[in-house]
Coordinates of all heavy atoms in Angstrom, one line a residue:
M1 N 67.3 80.2 92.7 CA 67.4 81.0 93.9 C 66.3 82.1 93.8 O 66.2 82.8 92.8 CB 68.8 81.7 94.1 CG 68.9 82.6 95.3 SD 70.5 83.4 95.5 CE 71.5 82.0 96.0
V2 N 65.5 82.3 94.9 CA 64.4 83.3 94.8 C 64.9 84.6 95.3 O 66.0 84.6 95.9 CB 63.2 82.7 95.6 CG1 62.6 81.5 95.0 CG2 63.6 82.5 97.1
L3 N 64.2 85.6 95.1 CA 64.6 87.0 95.5 C 64.9 87.1 97.0 O 65.8 87.7 97.4 CB 63.6 88.0 95.1 CG 63.3 88.1 93.6 CD1 62.3 89.2 93.4 CD2 64.6 88.5 92.9
R4 N 64.1 86.4 97.8 CA 64.4 86.4 99.2 C 65.7 85.8 99.6 O 66.5 86.4 100.4 CB 63.2 85.7 99.9 CG 63.3 85.7 101.5 CD 62.0 85.0 102.1 NE 61.8 83.7 101.6 CZ 60.9 83.3 100.7 NH1 59.9 84.1 100.3 NH2 60.8 82.0 100.4
E5 N 66.0 84.8 99.0 CA 67.4 84.1 99.2 C 68.5 85.0 98.7 O 69.6 85.1 99.4 CB 67.4 82.8 98.6 CG 66.5 81.8 99.1 CD 66.4 80.5 98.3 OE1 66.8 80.5 97.1 OE2 65.9 79.5 98.8
M6 N 68.3 85.7 97.6 CA 69.4 86.6 97.1 C 69.5 87.8 98.1 O 70.6 88.2 98.4 CB 68.9 87.1 95.7 CG 69.1 86.1 94.7 SD 68.3 86.7 93.1 CE 69.5 88.0 92.7
A7 N 68.4 88.3 98.6 CA 68.5 89.4 99.6 C 69.2 88.9 100.9 O 70.1 89.7 101.3 CB 67.1 89.8 100.0
Q8 N 69.0 87.7 101.3 CA 69.8 87.2 102.5 C 71.2 87.1 102.1 O 72.1 87.4 103.0 CB 69.2 85.8 102.9 CG 67.8 85.9 103.5 CD 67.2 84.6 103.7 OE1 67.8 83.5 103.3 NE2 66.0 84.5 104.4
E9 N 71.6 86.6 101.0 CA 73.0 86.5 100.6 C 73.6 87.9 100.6 O 74.8 88.1 101.0 CB 73.1 85.8 99.3 CG 74.6 85.5 98.8 CD 75.2 84.6 99.7 OE1 74.5 83.7 100.3 OE2 76.5 84.6 99.7
Y10 N 72.9 88.9 100.0 CA 73.5 90.3 100.0 C 73.7 90.8 101.3 O 74.7 91.4 101.7 CB 72.5 91.2 99.1 CG 72.9 91.3 97.7 CD1 72.3 90.4 96.8 CD2 73.7 92.3 97.3 CE1 72.6 90.5 95.4 CE2 74.1 92.4 95.9 CZ 73.5 91.5 95.0 OH 73.8 91.7 93.7
R11 N 72.8 90.5 102.3 CA 72.8 90.9 103.7 C 74.1 90.2 104.3 O 74.8 91.0 105.1 CB 71.6 90.4 104.5 CG 70.5 91.4 104.4 CD 69.4 91.1 105.4 NE 68.3 91.9 105.2 CZ 68.1 93.3 105.5 NH1 69.0 93.8 106.1 NH2 67.0 93.8 105.2
R12 N 74.3 89.0 104.1 CA 75.6 88.4 104.6 C 76.8 89.0 104.1 O 77.7 89.3 104.8 CB 75.6 86.9 104.4 CG 74.6 86.1 105.2 CD 74.8 84.5 105.0 NE 74.4 84.1 103.7 CZ 73.1 83.8 103.5 NH1 72.2 83.8 104.3 NH2 72.8 83.3 102.3
N13 N 76.8 89.3 102.8 CA 78.0 90.0 102.2 C 78.2 91.3 102.7 O 79.3 91.8 102.9 CB 77.9 89.9 100.7 CG 78.1 88.5 100.1 OD1 78.8 87.7 100.7 ND2 77.5 88.2 99.0
T14 N 77.1 92.1 102.9 CA 77.1 93.4 103.4 C 77.8 93.4 104.8 O 78.5 94.2 105.2 CB 75.7 94.1 103.5 OG1 75.2 94.1 102.2 CG2 75.8 95.5 104.0
A15 N 77.4 92.5 105.7 CA 77.9 92.3 107.0 C 79.4 92.1 107.0 O 80.2 92.7 107.8 CB 77.2 91.2 107.8
L16 N 79.9 91.3 106.0 CA 81.4 91.1 105.9 C 82.1 92.4 105.4 O 83.1 92.7 106.0 CB 81.6 90.0 104.9 CG 81.2 88.7 105.3 CD1 81.3 87.7 104.1 CD2 82.0 88.2 106.4
L17 N 81.4 93.1 104.5 CA 82.1 94.4 104.2 C 82.1 95.4 105.3 O 83.0 96.1 105.5 CB 81.2 95.0 103.0 CG 81.3 94.3 101.6 CD1 80.2 94.9 100.6 CD2 82.7 94.3 101.1
E18 N 81.1 95.4 106.1 CA 80.9 96.3 107.2 C 82.0 95.9 108.2 O 82.7 96.9 108.8 CB 79.6 96.3 107.8 CG 78.5 97.0 107.0 CD 77.0 96.7 107.6 OE1 76.9 95.7 108.3 OE2 76.2 97.4 107.2
L19 N 82.2 94.7 108.4 CA 83.2 94.2 109.4 C 84.7 94.7 108.9 O 85.5 95.1 109.6 CB 83.3 92.7 109.5 CG 84.4 92.1 110.4 CD1 84.3 92.5 111.9 CD2 84.3 90.6 110.3
R20 N 84.9 94.4 107.6 CA 86.1 94.9 107.0 C 86.3 96.4 107.1 O 87.5 96.9 107.4 CB 86.2 94.4 105.6 CG 87.6 94.7 104.9 CD 88.7 94.0 105.7 NE 90.0 94.4 105.1 CZ 91.1 94.5 105.7 NH1 91.2 94.2 107.0 NH2 92.2 94.8 105.1
M21 N 85.3 97.1 107.0 CA 85.4 98.6 107.0 C 85.8 99.0 108.5 O 86.7 99.9 108.7 CB 84.1 99.3 106.6 CG 84.2 100.8 106.6 SD 82.7 101.6 106.0 CE 81.6 101.3 107.4
K22 N 85.2 98.4 109.5 CA 85.5 98.6 110.9 C 86.9 98.3 111.2 O 87.7 99.0 111.9 CB 84.6 97.9 111.8 CG 83.2 98.4 111.8 CD 82.2 97.6 112.7 CE 80.9 98.2 112.5 NZ 79.8 97.4 113.3
Q23 N 87.4 97.2 110.6 CA 88.9 96.8 110.8 C 89.8 97.9 110.2 O 90.8 98.3 110.8 CB 89.2 95.5 110.2 CG 88.4 94.3 110.7 CD 88.6 93.1 110.0 OE1 88.8 93.0 108.8 NE2 88.4 91.9 110.7
L24 N 89.5 98.4 109.1 CA 90.2 99.4 108.4 C 90.2 100.7 109.1 O 91.2 101.5 109.2 CB 89.9 99.6 107.0 CG 90.1 98.4 105.9 CD1 89.6 98.7 104.6 CD2 91.5 98.1 105.9
Q25 N 89.0 101.1 109.7 CA 88.9 102.2 110.5 C 89.8 102.1 111.8 O 90.5 103.2 112.0 CB 87.5 102.4 110.9 CG 86.6 102.9 109.8 CD 85.1 102.9 110.1 OE1 84.7 102.2 111.0 NE2 84.3 103.7 109.4
V26 N 89.9 101.0 112.4 CA 90.8 100.8 113.5 C 92.2 101.0 113.1 O 93.1 101.7 113.7 CB 90.7 99.5 114.1 CG1 91.7 99.2 115.2 CG2 89.3 99.4 114.8
A27 N 92.6 100.4 112.0 CA 93.9 100.5 111.4 C 94.2 102.0 111.1 O 95.4 102.4 111.3 CB 94.1 99.6 110.2
Q28 N 93.3 102.7 110.5 CA 93.5 104.1 110.2 C 93.8 104.9 111.4 O 94.7 105.8 111.4 CB 92.3 104.6 109.5 CG 92.5 106.1 109.0 CD 91.2 106.7 108.4 OE1 90.1 106.2 108.7 NE2 91.3 107.6 107.6
R29 N 93.1 104.7 112.4 CA 93.3 105.4 113.7 C 94.6 105.1 114.3 O 95.3 106.0 114.9 CB 92.2 105.1 114.7 CG 90.9 105.8 114.5 CD 89.9 105.7 115.6 NE 89.5 104.3 116.0 CZ 88.5 103.7 115.5 NH1 87.7 104.2 114.6 NH2 88.2 102.4 115.9
R30 N 95.1 103.9 114.1 CA 96.4 103.6 114.6 C 97.6 103.9 113.8 O 98.7 103.9 114.3 CB 96.4 102.0 114.9 CG 95.5 101.6 116.1 CD 95.5 100.1 116.3 NE 94.6 99.8 117.3 CZ 94.3 98.5 117.7 NH1 94.8 97.5 117.0 NH2 93.5 98.3 118.7
A31 N 97.3 104.1 112.5 CA 98.4 104.4 111.6 C 99.1 105.8 112.0 O 98.4 106.7 112.4 CB 97.9 104.5 110.2
E32 N 100.4 105.7 111.8 CA 101.1 107.0 112.1 C 101.5 107.8 110.8 O 101.7 108.9 110.8 CB 102.3 106.6 112.9 CG 102.0 106.0 114.2 CD 103.2 105.6 115.1 OE1 104.3 106.0 114.6 OE2 103.0 104.9 116.1
Q33 N 101.7 107.1 109.8 CA 102.1 107.7 108.5 C 101.0 108.3 107.8 O 99.9 107.6 107.6 CB 102.9 106.7 107.6 CG 104.1 106.2 108.2 CD 104.7 105.2 107.4 OE1 104.3 104.7 106.5 NE2 106.1 104.8 107.7
K34 N 101.1 109.5 107.3 CA 100.1 110.2 106.6 C 99.6 109.4 105.3 O 98.5 109.3 105.0 CB 100.4 111.5 106.1 CG 100.4 112.6 107.2 CD 100.6 113.9 106.8 CE 100.5 114.9 108.0 NZ 100.6 116.4 107.5
E35 N 100.6 108.9 104.6 CA 100.3 108.1 103.4 C 99.4 106.8 103.7 O 98.5 106.6 102.9 CB 101.5 107.7 102.6 CG 101.4 106.9 101.4 CD 100.8 107.6 100.3 OE1 100.8 108.9 100.2 OE2 100.1 107.1 99.4
V36 N 99.7 106.2 104.7 CA 99.0 105.0 105.1 C 97.6 105.4 105.5 O 96.6 104.7 105.1 CB 99.7 104.3 106.3 CG1 98.9 103.1 106.9 CG2 101.0 103.7 105.9
K37 N 97.5 106.4 106.3 CA 96.1 106.9 106.7 C 95.3 107.3 105.5 O 94.2 107.0 105.4 CB 96.3 108.1 107.6 CG 96.7 107.8 109.0 CD 96.7 109.1 109.8 CE 97.1 108.8 111.2 NZ 96.0 108.8 112.2
Y38 N 95.9 108.0 104.5 CA 95.2 108.4 103.2 C 94.7 107.1 102.5 O 93.6 107.1 102.0 CB 96.2 109.2 102.4 CG 95.6 109.6 101.1 CD1 94.6 110.5 100.9 CD2 96.1 108.9 99.9 CE1 94.0 110.9 99.7 CE2 95.5 109.2 98.7 CZ 94.5 110.2 98.6 OH 94.0 110.5 97.3
R39 N 95.6 106.2 102.3 CA 95.2 105.0 101.6 C 94.1 104.2 102.2 O 93.2 103.7 101.6 CB 96.4 104.0 101.4 CG 97.5 104.6 100.4 CD 98.6 103.6 100.2 NE 99.5 104.3 99.3 CZ 100.4 103.6 98.6 NH1 100.6 102.3 98.7 NH2 101.3 104.3 97.9
L40 N 94.2 104.1 103.6 CA 93.1 103.5 104.3 C 91.8 104.2 104.2 O 90.7 103.6 104.1 CB 93.5 103.3 105.8 CG 94.6 102.3 106.1 CD1 95.1 102.3 107.6 CD2 94.1 100.9 105.7
K41 N 91.9 105.6 104.2 CA 90.7 106.4 104.0 C 90.0 106.1 102.7 O 88.8 106.0 102.6 CB 91.1 107.9 104.2 CG 89.9 108.8 104.0 CD 90.3 110.3 104.2 CE 89.2 111.2 104.0 NZ 89.6 112.6 104.1
R42 N 90.9 106.1 101.7 CA 90.2 105.8 100.3 C 89.6 104.4 100.3 O 88.6 104.2 99.6 CB 91.4 105.9 99.3 CG 91.9 107.3 99.2 CD 92.3 107.7 97.8 NE 91.5 107.1 96.8 CZ 91.9 107.2 95.5 NH1 92.9 107.8 95.2 NH2 91.2 106.7 94.5
R43 N 90.2 103.4 100.9 CA 89.7 102.0 100.9 C 88.4 102.0 101.7 O 87.5 101.4 101.2 CB 90.7 101.0 101.5 CG 91.9 100.8 100.5 CD 92.9 99.9 101.2 NE 92.4 98.6 101.4 CZ 93.0 97.7 102.1 NH1 94.2 97.9 102.6 NH2 92.6 96.4 102.4
I44 N 88.3 102.8 102.7 CA 87.1 102.8 103.6 C 86.1 103.5 102.7 O 84.8 103.1 102.8 CB 87.3 103.6 104.9 CG1 88.3 102.7 105.8 CG2 86.1 103.9 105.5 CD1 88.9 103.5 107.0
G45 N 86.4 104.6 102.0 CA 85.4 105.2 101.1 C 84.8 104.3 100.1 O 83.6 104.3 99.9
L46 N 85.7 103.5 99.5 CA 85.2 102.5 98.5 C 84.3 101.5 99.1 O 83.3 101.1 98.6 CB 86.3 101.9 97.7 CG 87.3 102.8 96.9 CD1 88.5 102.1 96.3 CD2 86.4 103.4 95.7
L47 N 84.6 101.0 100.2 CA 83.8 100.1 101.0 C 82.4 100.6 101.3 O 81.5 100.0 101.3 CB 84.5 99.5 102.3 CG 85.5 98.5 102.1 CD1 86.2 98.2 103.3 CD2 84.9 97.2 101.5
R48 N 82.4 101.9 101.7 CA 81.2 102.7 102.0 C 80.2 102.6 100.7 O 79.0 102.4 100.9 CB 81.4 104.0 102.4 CG 81.7 104.2 103.9 CD 81.5 105.6 104.4 NE 81.9 105.7 105.8 CZ 82.9 106.1 106.3 NH1 83.8 106.8 105.5 NH2 83.2 106.2 107.6
V49 N 80.8 102.9 99.6 CA 80.1 102.7 98.4 C 79.5 101.4 98.1 O 78.3 101.3 97.9 CB 80.9 103.2 97.2 CG1 80.2 103.0 95.9 CG2 81.3 104.6 97.3
L50 N 80.3 100.4 98.3 CA 79.9 99.0 98.1 C 78.7 98.6 99.1 O 77.8 98.0 98.8 CB 81.0 98.1 98.3 CG 82.1 98.1 97.1 CD1 83.3 97.2 97.5 CD2 81.4 97.7 95.9
I51 N 78.9 99.0 100.4 CA 78.0 98.8 101.4 C 76.6 99.5 101.0 O 75.6 98.8 101.2 CB 78.5 99.2 102.8 CG1 79.6 98.3 103.3 CG2 77.4 99.2 103.8 CD1 80.4 98.8 104.4
N52 N 76.6 100.7 100.7 CA 75.4 101.4 100.3 C 74.7 100.8 99.2 O 73.4 100.6 99.2 CB 75.7 102.9 100.0 CG 76.0 103.6 101.3 OD1 75.6 103.2 102.5 ND2 76.7 104.7 101.2
E53 N 75.4 100.3 98.2 CA 74.9 99.8 97.0 C 74.3 98.4 97.3 O 73.2 98.0 96.9 CB 75.9 99.6 95.9 CG 76.3 100.9 95.2 CD 75.2 101.6 94.5 OE1 74.3 100.9 93.9 OE2 75.1 102.8 94.6
S54 N 74.9 97.7 98.2 CA 74.4 96.4 98.6 C 73.2 96.6 99.4 O 72.3 95.7 99.3 CB 75.5 95.7 99.4 OG 75.1 94.4 99.8
R55 N 73.1 97.5 100.3 CA 71.9 97.8 101.1 C 70.7 98.1 100.2 O 69.6 97.7 100.4 CB 72.1 98.9 102.1 CG 73.0 98.5 103.2 CD 73.3 99.6 104.2 NE 74.0 99.2 105.3 CZ 74.7 100.2 106.0 NH1 74.7 101.4 105.8 NH2 75.5 99.7 107.0
K56 N 71.0 98.9 99.2 CA 70.0 99.3 98.2 C 69.5 98.1 97.4 O 68.2 97.9 97.2 CB 70.4 100.4 97.2 CG 70.7 101.7 97.8 CD 71.3 102.6 96.7 CE 71.7 103.9 97.2 NZ 72.4 104.8 96.3
T57 N 70.4 97.3 97.0 CA 70.0 96.0 96.4 C 69.1 95.1 97.2 O 68.2 94.6 96.8 CB 71.2 95.3 95.8 OG1 72.0 96.1 95.1 CG2 70.9 94.0 95.2
V58 N 69.5 95.0 98.5 CA 68.7 94.2 99.5 C 67.3 94.7 99.6 O 66.3 94.0 99.5 CB 69.3 94.2 100.9 CG1 68.3 93.7 101.9 CG2 70.6 93.4 100.9
F59 N 67.1 96.1 99.6 CA 65.9 96.7 99.8 C 65.0 96.5 98.4 O 63.8 96.0 98.5 CB 66.0 98.2 99.9 CG 64.6 98.9 100.0 CD1 64.0 99.0 101.3 CD2 64.0 99.5 98.9 CE1 62.7 99.7 101.4 CE2 62.7 100.0 99.0 CZ 62.1 100.1 100.3
V60 N 65.6 96.6 97.3 CA 64.9 96.3 96.1 C 64.5 94.8 96.0 O 63.3 94.6 95.7 CB 65.8 96.6 94.8 CG1 65.2 96.1 93.6 CG2 66.0 98.2 94.8
L61 N 65.4 93.9 96.4 CA 65.0 92.6 96.3 C 63.9 92.1 97.3 O 63.0 91.4 97.0 CB 66.3 91.6 96.7 CG 67.4 91.6 95.5 CD1 68.6 90.9 96.0 CD2 66.9 91.0 94.3
E62 N 63.9 92.7 98.5 CA 62.9 92.4 99.5 C 61.5 93.1 99.1 O 60.6 92.5 99.6 CB 63.4 92.9 100.9 CG 64.5 92.1 101.5 CD 65.0 92.5 102.8 OE1 64.7 93.7 103.2 OE2 65.6 91.7 103.5
H63 N 61.6 94.2 98.4 CA 60.3 94.9 98.1 C 59.9 94.8 96.6 O 59.1 95.6 96.2 CB 60.4 96.3 98.6 CG 60.7 96.4 100.1 ND1 59.7 96.3 101.0 CD2 61.8 96.5 100.8 CE1 60.2 96.3 102.3 NE2 61.5 96.5 102.2
Y64 N 60.6 94.0 95.9 CA 60.3 93.9 94.5 C 58.9 93.7 94.2 O 58.3 94.5 93.3 CB 61.1 92.7 93.9 CG 61.0 92.7 92.4 CD1 61.6 93.5 91.5 CD2 60.1 91.8 91.8 CE1 61.6 93.5 90.2 CE2 59.9 91.8 90.4 CZ 60.6 92.6 89.6 OH 60.5 92.5 88.3
Y65 N 58.1 92.9 94.9 CA 56.7 92.7 94.6 C 55.8 93.8 95.2 O 54.5 93.6 95.0 CB 56.3 91.2 94.9 CG 57.0 90.2 94.0 CD1 58.0 89.5 94.6 CD2 56.8 90.1 92.6 CE1 58.7 88.5 93.7 CE2 57.5 89.3 91.8 CZ 58.4 88.4 92.4 OH 59.0 87.5 91.5
D66 N 56.3 94.6 96.0 CA 55.5 95.6 96.8 C 55.4 96.8 95.8 O 54.5 97.6 96.1 CB 56.2 96.1 97.9 CG 56.4 95.0 99.0 OD1 55.8 94.0 98.9 OD2 57.2 95.2 99.9
R67 N 56.0 96.9 94.7 CA 56.0 98.0 93.8 C 54.6 98.3 93.2 O 53.8 97.4 93.0 CB 56.9 98.0 92.7 CG 58.3 97.9 93.1 CD 59.3 97.9 92.0 NE 60.6 98.0 92.5 CZ 61.7 98.2 91.7 NH1 61.5 98.2 90.4 NH2 62.9 98.2 92.3
K68 N 54.2 99.4 93.1 CA 53.0 99.9 92.4 C 51.8 99.2 93.1 O 50.8 98.9 92.4 CB 53.0 99.6 90.9 CG 54.0 100.2 90.1 CD 54.1 99.8 88.7 CE 55.2 100.5 88.0 NZ 55.2 100.1 86.6
G69 N 51.8 99.2 94.4 CA 50.7 98.6 95.1 C 50.3 97.3 94.7 O 49.1 96.8 94.7
G70 N 51.3 96.4 94.4 CA 51.1 95.0 94.2 C 50.7 94.8 92.7 O 50.2 93.7 92.3
Q71 N 50.9 95.7 91.9 CA 50.5 95.7 90.4 C 51.6 95.1 89.5 O 51.5 95.1 88.4 CB 49.9 96.9 90.0 CG 48.7 97.4 90.6 CD 48.3 98.8 90.2 OE1 48.9 99.4 89.4 NE2 47.2 99.2 90.7
A72 N 52.7 94.7 90.2 CA 53.9 94.3 89.3 C 53.6 93.2 88.4 O 53.9 93.2 87.3 CB 55.1 93.9 90.3
H73 N 52.8 92.2 88.9 CA 52.4 91.0 88.0 C 51.5 91.5 87.0 O 51.5 91.0 85.8 CB 51.9 90.0 88.8 CG 52.8 89.3 89.7 ND1 53.9 88.6 89.3 CD2 52.9 89.3 91.1 CE1 54.7 88.2 90.3 NE2 54.1 88.5 91.4
D74 N 50.5 92.4 87.3 CA 49.5 92.8 86.4 C 50.2 93.5 85.1 O 49.7 93.3 84.0 CB 48.5 93.7 87.0 CG 47.7 93.1 88.1 OD1 47.5 91.8 88.0 OD2 47.2 93.7 88.9
D75 N 51.2 94.3 85.4 CA 51.8 95.1 84.4 C 52.6 94.1 83.4 O 52.5 94.3 82.3 CB 52.8 96.0 85.0 CG 52.2 97.2 85.7 OD1 50.9 97.4 85.6 OD2 52.9 97.9 86.5
K76 N 53.1 93.0 83.9 CA 53.9 92.1 83.0 C 52.8 91.3 82.1 O 53.1 91.1 81.0 CB 54.6 91.1 84.0 CG 55.8 91.7 84.6 CD 56.6 90.7 85.4 CE 57.7 91.4 86.1 NZ 58.4 90.3 87.0
R77 N 51.7 91.0 82.7 CA 50.6 90.3 81.9 C 50.0 91.1 80.8 O 49.6 90.7 79.8 CB 49.6 89.6 82.7 CG 50.2 88.4 83.5 CD 49.0 87.7 84.3 NE 49.3 88.2 85.7 CZ 48.3 88.3 86.6 NH1 47.0 88.1 86.1 NH2 48.5 88.7 87.8
A78 N 49.8 92.4 81.2 CA 49.2 93.3 80.3 C 50.0 93.6 79.0 O 49.4 93.9 77.9 CB 48.9 94.6 80.9
G79 N 51.4 93.4 79.1 CA 52.2 93.7 78.0 C 52.2 92.7 76.9 O 51.9 92.6 75.8

């Protein structure tokens, strides 16, 4: 699997996480008990962390060879 394919897979998984987060946000708004709202809020917070990390990973994968002005390969050969 090449980096581009990995990035696409991360994007798909991120979309699923975002969908789940939206579902939990709806459930949180509809919840009446404070404990339920609190637990949903925590789960949403954890999903936000996962989504942000996934987005960062996508960026790194998509721009891996853009680093250092295209010198990523030169640095590996020089070592």
Side-chain angles (χ1 to χ4, degrees):
M1 180 180 285
V2 296
L3 296 180
R4 181 176 56 252
E5 292 169 342
M6 289 175 64
Q8 290 171 351
E9 186 67 26
Y10 269 90
R11 278 193 188 280
R12 284 190 289 274
N13 288 329
T14 302
L16 292 173
L17 292 171
E18 290 168 340
L19 175 63
R20 184 60 182 148
M21 185 175 72
K22 289 177 185 177
Q23 292 169 341
L24 292 176
Q25 288 170 334
V26 169
Q28 183 185 25
R29 285 193 296 271
R30 292 181 179 170
E32 295 180 11
Q33 297 175 350
K34 285 187 178 185
E35 180 67 25
V36 173
K37 284 183 181 257
Y38 174 75
R39 288 181 185 199
L40 289 169
K41 180 180 178 180
R42 293 213 33 190
R43 288 175 64 188
I44 291 167
L46 292 173
L47 280 175
R48 276 197 180 105
V49 171
L50 291 173
I51 290 166
N52 288 335
E53 289 298 318
S54 185
R55 287 177 180 160
K56 288 177 189 176
T57 302
V58 168
F59 181 84
V60 169
L61 291 171
E62 289 179 342
H63 298 280
Y64 183 79
Y65 293 110
D66 297 345
R67 293 182 178 189
K68 299 181 184 178
Q71 297 173 356
H73 293 294
D74 295 338
D75 292 344
K76 288 181 183 177
R77 283 185 261 147

